[in-house]
Amino acid sequence: MIAVVAASPARPTLVRAVCVREWREALGNKLLVGMTLLPPVVILVSGIAAVAAAAVNPPSDRDVQALYAAAPAVAGLDPREAVQGFIATYFLILFMLIPTVVPLTMAIYSVIGEKASRTLEPLLATPVGVGDLLFAKSLASTVPSVIVTWSAYAIYLATVIAIGSHAAVQAVTAPRWILAIVVLVPLLTLLSVNLGILISTRVNDVRVAQQIGGLVVVPIVGLGIAQVTGRVVLDNGAFLQMTIVLILLDVAVFWLARLAFQRENILVRWR
Amino acid sequence: MKTVVRTEKLTKRFGDLTAVDGIDLDVHEGEVFGFLGPNGAGKTTTLRLLCALIAPTSGTAEIAGHRLGRDDAKIRAAVGILTELPGLYERQSAWDNLVFYATLYGLAPSVSRAQAERYLRLMGLWERRDEPVVTFSRGMKQKMAIARAALHEPRVLFLDEPTTGLDPDAAKTVREFIVALRGEGRTVFLCTHNLDEADRLCDRIAFFRHRVLRIANPDELRAEFYGRATEIRLVPKPRAEDLVRVQAVPGVREAHLENGSIVVASTDPLHTNPLLVKTLVDGGADIAFVTERKPHLEEVYLRIVEPIE
């Protein structure tokens, strides 16, 4: 007979076990896989197509003048170069949508799925801490989303370098954008994940949770529109401000999710 | 006898509702302890309290030597719980489900695998270990959930309605498992509506409706409420004079005819029964069987639990 001594598992062991289980579960759900991969594929394909189209079709004078007015940074450049540079930059902002959409779906399924299948009680009956469990669940949704976004960006980067103009290549390889993808993407993902978990504690329907959680894309879309219309210039200062705001929001939302994710709340109040 | 679950005035309120009202329990090591009560009596809440899943409003409890509210993680490591619904990860295999839980109970990978194999074999599920749980029958899922609850060899196993919805074969496997656990010196805290099962398995039973109404051994309860009765079956059937003779035997409190038998309640069956047999045989009666009459536990339950309503 083997000596069996149960105890709280080490945090890395718990995180690994929860992540592997959640990923297996997610991969077995075709709808979830589809909903996870569709946004990055659409953004990536659209971005590449737009840059390629701009390389082939010369813009009209009117378009060029409007572009020079909206984006002073490209003023004076060859019109075709300027349009490609502008489109390449615009799609970089759209890449920021991926970490708000993809992990949200995963996080919502992660909690609402467990609620629906009544698997939370046995899970909470183990000696794991709920904070650790929440952290592990957050990570299980965050890691794939960051990997998907980075991969999509890498493909976009490689394609723009291959087919884009000098201005387009300069735009996508600008240090502040690379830093934004490296730093802002994980921060946005965490925000989206914990928001998804927080919403999932209150509702039982995946679609309702997605509709509520979908609001998180509004600021990103707004930022994109503001940049296109020249109202906002995304310089180093703007990125720094966004990073600070996101860190604060991440901490606040994780804290709220942690408050909602209590053993007794989950078992007695969650319905 | 060592106590593994002890509560003092343990209480749980949800707003104005008192689900568990100051219960005092002493559950011993190696016993099967039945916890019987109607729906909504607070049984599941009590289980959750004792598994450190929810916090008491007042009162104290010690489970497997650990204090509730202070050593909650240790309590959860020392107990296992079978919840009302199996709550398994249905897209995943039986094997993956058990290994995942073994990891969450802090077992080393080799121990996790060995325990998963042991319990899958014990529950007769080893051959289907790689199949997703969604393909399992209700009984198989329940056996999986029991395996999960016992996987880390807890000192106390809390089972909430373990045989509900199971076919007789699966229910028998579960009952045999409970008996085996007792044989290993482990304690089983059994919540059930199945009075026949409680009667067969439990060393002691607590009747419960928000508070503990009575705790006793099933036989003691029967003796207390119905006395000790003897059933004497005569062939072809008892005659009126047989009943008169029986009623005249010293020590007989009450005797009546019932379905071809004479049912006799006496204060001391050890002394009275030989006299009864002799009296009937001397009177020319042919005795087929003499057996102890056990009233069904349901009759005791209804007398203890129902009048509260």
Side-chain angles (χ1 to χ4, degrees):
Chain A
M1 180 108 168
I2 309 163
V4 178
V5 182
S8 302
R11 186 175 291 166
T13 310
L14 167 70
V15 169
R16 194 168 53 241
V18 170
C19 286
V20 169
R21 194 205 64 69
E22 298 241 343
W23 294 338
R24 276 189 185 144
E25 193 83 12
L27 287 173
N29 185 340
K30 288 186 181 118
L31 181 67
L32 179 58
V33 172
M35 285 165 70
T36 303
L37 291 181
L38 191 64
V41 168
V42 168
I43 291 171
L44 179 62
V45 170
S46 312
I48 291 171
V51 172
V56 175
N57 302 318
S60 66
D61 285 345
R62 198 174 151 203
D63 288 344
V64 172
Q65 292 312 315
L67 176 62
Y68 287 161
V74 294
L77 285 178
D78 166 69
R80 199 174 296 199
E81 285 256 327
V83 169
Q84 274 197 49
F86 178 74
I87 288 173
T89 311
Y90 176 66
F91 270 92
L92 283 174
I93 295 174
L94 290 188
F95 271 89
M96 293 294 175
L97 284 177
I98 301 174
T100 61
V101 178
V102 172
L104 185 75
T105 310
M106 289 187 73
I108 286 169
Y109 267 92
S110 162
V111 176
I112 292 182
E114 295 235 31
K115 276 164 87 172
S117 55
R118 305 290 292 268
T119 47
L120 278 170
E121 186 163 2
L123 194 61
L124 295 169
T126 64
V128 301
V130 278
D132 290 345
L133 196 59
L134 179 66
F135 176 71
K137 274 187 167 292
S138 299
L139 222 55
S141 300
T142 302
V143 170
S145 168
V146 170
I147 289 173
V148 163
T149 312
W150 284 350
S151 304
Y153 173 69
I155 296 169
Y156 182 66
L157 196 65
T159 311
V160 170
I161 289 170
I163 65 166
S165 66
H166 178 69
V169 174
Q170 268 198 322
V172 294
T173 54
R176 69 165 173 271
W177 271 109
I178 291 175
L179 207 63
I181 295 287
V182 170
V183 177
L184 292 184
V185 163
L187 290 175
L188 267 172
T189 308
L190 266 177
L191 179 65
S192 185
V193 164
N194 287 311
L195 210 57
I197 290 174
L198 194 60
I199 294 164
S200 305
T201 64
R202 297 290 164 200
V203 298
N204 287 331
D205 191 312
V206 170
R207 286 163 301 182
V208 174
Q210 279 177 318
Q211 280 166 2
I212 299 170
L215 295 175
V216 78
V217 305
V218 172
I220 309 289
V221 173
L223 196 65
I225 292 169
Q227 206 218 8
V228 169
T229 56
R231 290 177 189 277
V232 168
V233 177
L234 291 177
D235 55 12
N236 294 344
F239 278 116
L240 183 66
Q241 283 170 12
M242 277 195 282
T243 305
I244 292 167
V245 169
L246 277 175
I247 289 171
L248 293 175
L249 278 174
D250 274 336
V251 171
V253 175
F254 183 79
W255 180 73
L256 286 174
R258 179 71 185 82
L259 279 185
F261 212 78
Q262 300 283 339
R263 266 192 176 78
E264 186 155 341
N265 273 349
I266 296 167
L267 292 173
V268 178
R269 296 199 178 87
W270 287 18
R271 289 282 181 265
Chain B
M1 211 174 287
K2 202 169 171 184
T3 297
V4 285
V5 177
R6 171 173 289 144
T7 69
E8 282 177 24
K9 305 272 177 277
L10 194 67
T11 301
K12 181 66 185 178
R13 290 194 195 93
F14 298 107
D16 295 335
L17 174 76
T18 303
V20 178
D21 190 5
I23 61 170
D24 295 317
L25 288 176
D26 273 297
V27 182
H28 307 139
E29 191 166 60
E31 82 171 325
V32 179
F33 186 84
F35 203 59
L36 272 63
N39 289 332
K43 298 191 299 293
T44 301
T45 302
T46 307
L47 247 63
R48 287 175 171 175
L49 281 168
L50 298 179
C51 292
L53 285 168
I54 57 176
T57 308
S58 62
T60 59
E62 200 171 277
I63 297 103
H66 306 295
R67 189 72 180 265
L68 187 63
R70 193 185 62 194
D71 307 318
D72 287 356
K74 286 179 183 169
I75 290 174
R76 287 193 292 273
V79 307
I81 182 170
L82 170 74
T83 48
E84 272 177 297
L85 292 171
L88 298 158
Y89 295 109
E90 302 229 338
R91 283 199 184 92
Q92 299 191 14
S93 69
W95 175 260
D96 286 341
N97 264 277
L98 291 191
V99 170
F100 171 68
Y101 272 95
T103 308
L104 263 48
Y105 278 105
L107 308 190
S110 60
V111 180
S112 296
R113 289 192 293 271
Q115 287 298 99
E117 180 174 346
R118 176 173 181 236
Y119 280 95
L120 284 169
R121 285 189 189 280
L122 210 61
M123 291 293 167
L125 297 169
W126 177 247
E127 299 304 323
R128 300 192 61 178
R129 64 189 177 279
D130 293 327
E131 292 178 30
V133 172
V134 72
T135 62
F136 286 12
S137 68
R138 167 89 173 84
M140 290 162 79
K141 286 178 187 172
Q142 186 75 340
K143 287 198 277 187
M144 270 291 296
I146 292 171
R148 180 187 58 202
L151 188 68
H152 57 295
E153 309 294 355
R155 284 181 66 192
V156 190
L157 205 59
F158 293 90
L159 304 178
D160 199 355
E161 305 287 350
T163 57
T164 302
L166 299 191
D167 61 45
D169 192 38
K172 183 168 173 276
T173 306
V174 171
R175 282 196 295 271
E176 285 171 354
F177 178 65
I178 292 171
V179 172
L181 286 173
R182 175 170 51 194
E184 291 173 8
R186 286 197 266 166
T187 305
V188 178
F189 194 102
L190 180 67
C191 272
T192 181
H193 285 302
N194 187 334
L195 297 168
D196 181 52
E197 184 173 275
D199 200 5
R200 277 200 267 174
L201 292 172
C202 297
D203 301 297
R204 288 188 304 147
I205 287 172
F207 289 101
F208 178 80
R209 177 181 273 169
H210 303 303
R211 58 192 173 83
V212 174
L213 305 171
R214 188 67 206 272
I215 300 177
N217 172 279
D219 287 333
E220 287 170 11
L221 285 167
R222 264 189 288 266
E224 180 185 332
F225 282 88
Y226 293 94
R228 302 191 70 179
T230 304
E231 183 174 339
I232 305 167
R233 181 169 285 271
L234 303 180
V235 285
K237 61 178 183 179
R239 298 161 300 179
E241 60 265 35
D242 294 329
L243 181 62
V244 173
R245 281 194 197 95
V246 163
Q247 285 168 333
V249 171
V252 170
R253 285 196 295 141
E254 191 268 341
H256 65 273
L257 297 176
E258 192 181 299
N259 299 328
S261 297
I262 302 174
V263 178
V264 185
S266 59
T267 44
D268 187 359
L270 274 180
H271 282 94
T272 314
N273 284 350
L275 287 174
L276 285 172
V277 172
K278 187 173 184 308
T279 304
L280 286 167
V281 170
D282 288 351
D286 289 323
I287 299 174
F289 302 104
V290 179
T291 51
E292 185 182 6
R293 176 77 186 274
K294 278 191 167 186
H296 197 276
L297 198 60
E298 186 177 78
E299 295 166 40
V300 180
Y301 174 88
L302 291 173
R303 286 182 63 171
I304 295 177
V305 177
E306 290 305 313
I308 302 286
E309 199 150 53

